[in-house]
């Protein structure tokens, strides 16, 4: 089954949106297999956002993720098409373009404080899950109602 890395950023934690975000993924039918709260190290944040290291906002982005004014809640969600669907549920990067009904479209207004991260491809999901979680921190369990969520074809 496909897995993605979703993180509530420090602003999302500070704004008390952790439960709301978990609720949306649970209610959709996805399975939570990893969950942790931490203040990431600078090295972790820099690796996580390595693709953006040349951007003018990179330093500020790393500082905001790591300054410890609030932790990050990292999660691994599993289920059918969860990488692409997760990105749809997040909404566009810039809240000015996020549709209403998406997490960003409903709860934030600024691109520099867009409350949530989601992996954007299979490759980045794999990279990010490995970066944020050890194998023994991922739960191997069956969602009992899975046949009511996924059809065989
Ligand atoms: P993530 O899920 O967090 O990776 O966002 P994304 O994939 O939708 O966008 P991208 O990977 O391009 O950018 C990562 C994060 O950098 C964004 O979510 C923003 O928090 C931040 N960011 C991107 N562009 C800007 C910008 O122009 N200004 C500022 N201040 N932050 C930006
Ligand atoms: Mg991204």
């Amino acid at each position: 089954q496909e897995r993605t890395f979703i993180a509530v950023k420090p602003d999302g934690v500070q704004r008390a949106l952790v439960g709301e975000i978990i609720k949306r993924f649970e209610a959709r039918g996805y399975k939570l297999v990893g969950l942790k709260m931490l203040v990431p190290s600078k090295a972790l944040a820099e690796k996580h956002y390595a693709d953006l290291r040349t951007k003018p906002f990179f330093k500020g982005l790393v500082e905001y993720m790591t300054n410890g004014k609030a932790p990050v809640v990292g999660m691994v969600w599993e289920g059918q098409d969860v990488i692409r669907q997760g990105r749809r549920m997040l909404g566009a990067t810039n809240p000015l373009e996020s549709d209403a009904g998406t997490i960003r479209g409903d709860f934030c207004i600024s691109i520099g404080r867009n409350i949530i991260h989601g992996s954007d491809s299979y490759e980045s999901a794999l990279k990010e899950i490995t970066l944020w979680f050890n194998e023994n921190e991922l739960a191997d369990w069956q969602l009992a109602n899975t046949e009511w969520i996924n059809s065989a074809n």
Side-chain angles (χ1 to χ4, degrees):
Q1 272 280 21
E2 189 170 301
R3 290 177 170 184
T4 195
F5 176 68
I6 300 290
V8 186
K9 298 178 184 178
D11 49 327
V13 174
Q14 194 61 253
R15 304 239 344 257
L17 292 168
V18 175
E20 170 69 32
I21 288 165
I22 289 176
K23 181 168 77 100
R24 288 186 178 211
F25 279 86
E26 275 189 324
R28 188 96 197 224
Y30 292 119
K31 180 171 77 171
L32 184 59
V33 298
L35 178 67
K36 61 163 66 166
M37 176 178 256
L38 72 163
V39 176
S41 66
K42 204 157 167 276
L44 174 55
E46 283 173 352
K47 275 186 214 155
H48 175 77
Y49 280 128
D51 294 352
L52 302 173
R53 66 190 169 278
T54 60
K55 303 282 185 190
F57 56 83
F58 181 73
K59 225 175 143 225
L61 177 62
V62 170
E63 151 47 41
Y64 134 72
M65 292 290 287
T66 61
N67 68 22
K69 289 181 182 171
V72 169
V73 173
M75 299 180 271
V76 179
W77 287 93
E78 183 181 295
Q80 191 174 312
D81 302 317
V82 69
I83 300 171
R84 215 143 66 92
Q85 196 67 267
R87 292 283 292 187
R88 286 169 51 85
M89 289 167 68
L90 264 58
T93 307
N94 187 346
L96 197 53
E97 279 143 30
S98 326
D99 292 328
T102 66
I103 292 165
R104 287 166 175 164
D106 287 348
F107 300 115
C108 61
I109 53 180
S110 169
I111 192 168
R113 294 292 181 270
N114 63 2
I115 69 172
I116 186 165
H117 161 82
S119 307
D120 62 9
S121 66
Y122 178 79
E123 292 69 32
S124 48
L126 198 62
K127 180 199 119 178
E128 290 165 6
I129 291 167
T130 310
L131 191 59
W132 288 80
F133 285 87
N134 294 317
E135 190 57 47
N136 66 5
E137 294 173 320
L138 299 174
D140 180 15
W141 67 289
Q142 298 304 317
L143 199 60
N145 63 3
T146 187
E147 67 182 290
W148 299 100
I149 295 167
N150 296 308
S151 79
N153 54 48

